[in-house]
Amino acid sequence: MIAYKDDLSFRRIVNVPKRNLGERRIKFLEEFAAEHNCPLYDALMYTIEDDIFKRTKAPQFIKLIESFSANYADRPISELLADILDKSGYEEALRTEGSQERLDNIAELKQSVYDYERTCGEESMLEHYLTHIALYTNTDTEVKGDKVKLMTVHAAKGLEFPYVFLCSLSEGIFPSKKTNTMEKMEEERRLAFVAMTRAEKRLYLSEAEGRNLDGSPRFPSRFVLDIDDSLLEHTNKPDDCLIRDAKDYIEWTVKYMPENLDNIILPAGQRVRHAVFGEGTVMDVDNNKGAHIIKFDAMDTPRTISFKVKIEKL
């Protein structure tokens, strides 16, 4: 738009982000442009004082275009692109909308510009780049169709969709295996609630059976088990023994979270017995590692023993 100020570019960006320049005002500009045989952008500049453009951001749009048109030829394309995305508010609007696909497209565009500049060096100009890229893509003639939109749960906040597929609802994935405190677990639970409530008509939940990469058993997420079974329709209902093992595992992980260790941590000086190392004395506690530091009678060097290892008090 800043290079050619053509009608196609004008139509694509004049109301992106929203500037209250909808169909009625565009039709007004089209009629003026046809009558005076001028481009739509010129029509906007000629009629900007008209009452129809009150309470719109048309003046800011003109100011934006003019400010970049004045010096774009003297600036690197990558710098120009970054400045346009920032001052136009386009990238911020996409983040607010959660339009991850378009944000990914912007990232690809930035990389394309960097690659072009690296190839052409100081001779690279905006018009040359636009001509170059037009040989490879034409998004205006792209055939639209049904698509599956992939996004993170964070990006989906505030959005709703007719059908939502929430995948990988397994312990260690959602909630993450890095969730090691009750506070973090509640944040994961809130995130799961956000994900599930994005669905307007139907919500599909999935998890995989088998084992994790480290060979440990894979259990269904506690967020699925927390849902009343009468609200679920199972394609392949998990075995009762799997559900029982999953609940035992979840109870075990909660037991060893820092907030619940008061009854597990042993004080320094406590005499203990280990099934393999024998008797010893607790020297210290390492909360970061979740372990006791124990000097066993039969060993010269203290050993770090996890809170999760069974130790008998003497």
Side-chain angles (χ1 to χ4, degrees):
M1 181 64 194
I2 63 175
Y4 302 117
K5 297 180 180 176
D6 58 292
D7 287 353
L8 176 61
S9 300
F10 179 86
R11 293 178 187 278
R12 292 180 64 185
I13 72 167
V14 67
N15 203 38
V16 181
K18 297 294 184 182
R19 298 185 178 93
N20 201 20
L21 296 170
E23 293 183 6
R24 182 172 68 90
R25 293 183 172 92
I26 297 301
K27 184 177 180 180
F28 171 84
L29 291 175
E30 289 173 342
E31 293 173 352
F32 184 93
E35 182 179 349
H36 295 83
N37 193 27
C38 66
L40 291 174
Y41 180 71
D42 289 350
L44 178 62
M45 294 187 67
Y46 294 146
T47 61
I48 191 62
E49 299 298 331
D50 193 284
D51 289 345
I52 196 172
F53 294 114
K54 287 184 178 180
R55 294 182 296 279
T56 73
K57 294 184 179 180
Q60 293 91 323
F61 175 72
I62 293 176
K63 182 178 179 181
L64 180 74
I65 299 301
E66 293 302 306
S67 64
F68 282 109
S69 296
N71 62 4
Y72 77 88
D74 301 323
R75 303 176 64 182
I77 305 173
S78 56
E79 176 188 304
L80 182 66
L81 175 61
D83 203 15
I84 289 174
L85 290 173
D86 177 43
K87 291 183 178 177
S88 68
Y90 180 61
E91 193 165 13
E92 181 182 357
L94 293 183
R95 296 189 187 282
T96 302
E97 295 171 5
S99 301
Q100 189 60 46
E101 182 179 355
R102 292 187 177 182
L103 288 171
D104 291 341
N105 290 340
I106 287 179
E108 292 181 12
L109 174 61
K110 291 178 180 178
Q111 186 60 51
S112 171
V113 169
Y114 292 143
D115 292 343
Y116 182 78
E117 287 182 330
R118 190 165 54 247
T119 302
C120 299
E122 295 180 356
E123 298 179 359
S124 58
M125 298 180 63
L126 178 60
E127 290 90 339
H128 294 165
Y129 172 74
L130 294 175
T131 302
H132 166 79
I133 202 67
L135 298 175
Y136 296 96
T137 178
N138 186 357
T139 56
D140 293 310
T141 59
E142 179 183 358
V143 177
K144 303 296 182 180
D146 291 337
K147 297 178 181 179
V148 175
K149 179 182 285 291
L150 301 178
M151 63 172 58
T152 64
V153 178
H154 286 92
K157 286 184 178 179
L159 305 177
E160 289 185 331
F161 305 92
Y163 303 95
V164 170
F165 292 79
L166 186 55
C167 306
S168 298
L169 275 167
S170 302
E171 285 292 311
I173 299 178
F174 198 8
S176 167
K177 63 181 179 181
K178 296 181 180 180
T179 306
N180 53 10
T181 68
M182 294 299 294
E183 182 179 1
K184 291 180 180 179
M185 184 59 70
E186 287 309 304
E187 178 58 32
E188 286 278 279
R189 191 181 303 279
R190 285 191 289 271
L191 202 56
F193 176 80
V194 168
M196 294 180 186
T197 53
R198 297 311 88 199
E200 296 175 318
K201 295 182 179 179
R202 199 163 184 84
L203 171 67
Y204 294 84
L205 309 175
S206 75
E207 66 100 12
E209 63 181 356
R211 292 187 173 273
N212 298 311
L213 294 176
D214 60 2
S216 60
R218 179 172 293 166
F219 298 116
S221 169
R222 65 193 70 194
F223 303 144
V224 176
L225 300 182
D226 287 343
I227 301 174
D228 192 303
D229 196 60
S230 64
L231 301 176
L232 298 173
E233 295 179 16
H234 295 280
T235 301
N236 185 14
K237 189 172 183 178
D239 294 335
D240 291 340
C241 60
L242 176 63
I243 299 298
R244 184 174 59 253
D245 291 345
K247 291 182 178 179
D248 289 343
Y249 170 78
I250 293 168
E251 183 179 352
W252 179 78
T253 59
V254 171
K255 178 181 178 181
Y256 288 102
M257 285 185 176
E259 299 92 332
N260 302 324
L261 291 177
D262 289 345
N263 296 327
I264 297 174
I265 296 178
L266 301 175
Q270 174 69 51
R271 292 287 293 171
V272 296
R273 180 184 291 117
H274 187 278
V276 175
F277 301 136
E279 296 183 3
T281 303
V282 176
M283 307 298 293
D284 201 357
V285 173
D286 188 334
N287 286 315
N288 291 329
K289 293 183 178 180
H292 294 104
I293 310 300
I294 301 177
K295 171 65 173 66
F296 291 99
D297 299 345
M299 298 180 178
D300 295 331
T301 305
R303 303 294 296 267
T304 301
I305 305 297
S306 171
F307 292 151
K308 300 175 184 179
V309 174
K310 185 176 181 179
I311 297 177
E312 180 185 355
K313 292 195 295 184
L314 298 178

